Amino acid sequence: MMLRVRSRDGLERVSLESPQVTVSQLKALIQSHLRIPVQNQTLSTNQNLLLAKTPADLLRFTDMSDPSTTLSALNLSHGSIVFLAYEGERTVSGPTFHPAGSFGRKMTMDDLIAKQMRVTRQENPHCELVSFDRDCANAFQNYVNESLAFAVKRAGFMYGTVSEEGKVEVDFIYEPPQQGTEEHLAILRDPDEEKLVEAIAVGLGMRRVGFIFTQTISQDKKDYTLSNREVLQAAEFHAESGLKEWVTALVKLEVNEDGGADVHFEAFQMSDNCIKLYKEAWFETEIAEDADPKLSKMKKDVVVGVKDTREVDNDFFLVVVKIFDHQVSEHEVLIDLEAYLLMVHGKNPQGPLSSTFPIENRNSPVTMRALKNHLDRTKSFPFVKRISDFHLLLLLARFLDLSSDVPALAECVQRQAAVPEGYQLLIESLASS
């Protein structure tokens, strides 16, 4: 969290851990970063503090006088301003000026450009390629195609692994609570559910690796790859992840040569430039309904080519990522060597997970009846194989201990090891309830 501190010296910034920082801790940070002793500081959220002339005037500002008060209790959040009065003098670091004549040094074109943000295309992604488990990709696109008919937007978080070479493998897709329309997609995140998802991922030896979303039929008629709203949403999740190989995947319908429609997957990374702009709050986040969707608006001028502008074509922010299939054949041109070696050695390149269990947060809630039906249908398989489905594990996780049981059960699935009898009895009991 960043807090702005305005004093007689101007506006300065202090970085904090969270809004739970106390006034006392804030004063200590100001002493450390701005070199103003704690005992000399008077803080307030009231800008009139800067007009105080005497020590008696300062005593009237008491809203931040209690050192144990948290910043959240004062309604201070990221970007808020706190006003600071202090006794004494200090040296404020600033730019070095080299005057040349009464109007100062002449600025060259390079000087002007250096003072602005340049937006350029990024040629190479940090992610070498992305491959999808065929079942999890089909489970996502089938629902969007057959149940939603690509009429409303849909999204999910992709989980899998990242290799040292920058290869991302997607093994399952978690679909959070959401509300989609033709043009808008609101992700209604559930922190408690996401903790269960993360615990399962840890047990499976996986992590969140990307964001996948769909475009509707009506969007296909418009001249852009990603809309400005989609760029903002993709940049938000990419920035939040802290993963340089993070992948943004797009699913849409495309007209084929015969005049029919095929489901088409594309993969991108948001450019380093885009993530920097997002983190530094350059993007205009309030988008008018009549705004051109293929342009992202900035709060300040940026340099694109040789032009100063506040509107940037969204394609400048996209870096294309190659897509492979986990189950690629040795006879295909784009061969996934790792998957081929696994097949040669008689192992399943698809990984331990299936995607046949009903998926969370869709039109119909997932019930214990679904668990019973699934277990009945898979009676001929070993028990660990019967529960080797992320969406089934997510249902079970609601009834298990988050810190121990959930990762332990997921680890059995990851290793395809025998499930302890106690867990088997509990799962069968839940299915019968």
Side-chain angles (χ1 to χ4, degrees), residues 14 188 206 319:
V14 174
L188 312 174
M206 299 176 189
V319 190

Side-chain angles (χ1 to χ4, degrees), residues 233-247:
Q233 195 166 53
E236 175 190 354
F237 294 136
H238 188 149
E240 176 190 303
S241 75
L243 179 67
K244 67 178 174 42
E245 296 89 356
W246 180 271
V247 175

Side-chain angles (χ1 to χ4, degrees), residues 375 381-389 392-393 396 400 405-428:
L375 293 179
F381 294 104
F383 195 84
V384 67
K385 199 67 181 173
R386 297 165 73 189
I387 65 166
S388 294
D389 187 306
L392 183 150
L393 291 173
L396 295 179
L400 299 173
D405 295 338
V406 174
L409 192 60
E411 188 177 354
C412 288
V413 170
Q414 192 266 335
R415 294 169 46 230
Q416 289 294 284
V419 177
E421 185 179 4
Y423 285 137
Q424 291 193 38
L425 292 172
L426 175 60
I427 292 168
E428 289 169 344

Side-chain angles (χ1 to χ4, degrees), residues 209-222:
V209 295
F211 177 62
I212 185 170
F213 69 95
T214 64
Q215 288 183 339
T216 59
I217 296 172
S218 62
Q219 287 182 278
D220 189 49
K221 300 171 184 175
K222 299 183 179 177

Side-chain angles (χ1 to χ4, degrees), residues 302-315:
V302 295
V303 180
V304 180
V306 295
K307 177 184 175 185
D308 288 2
T309 182
R310 295 196 180 189
E311 294 184 332
V312 181
D313 189 309
N314 299 331
D315 284 352

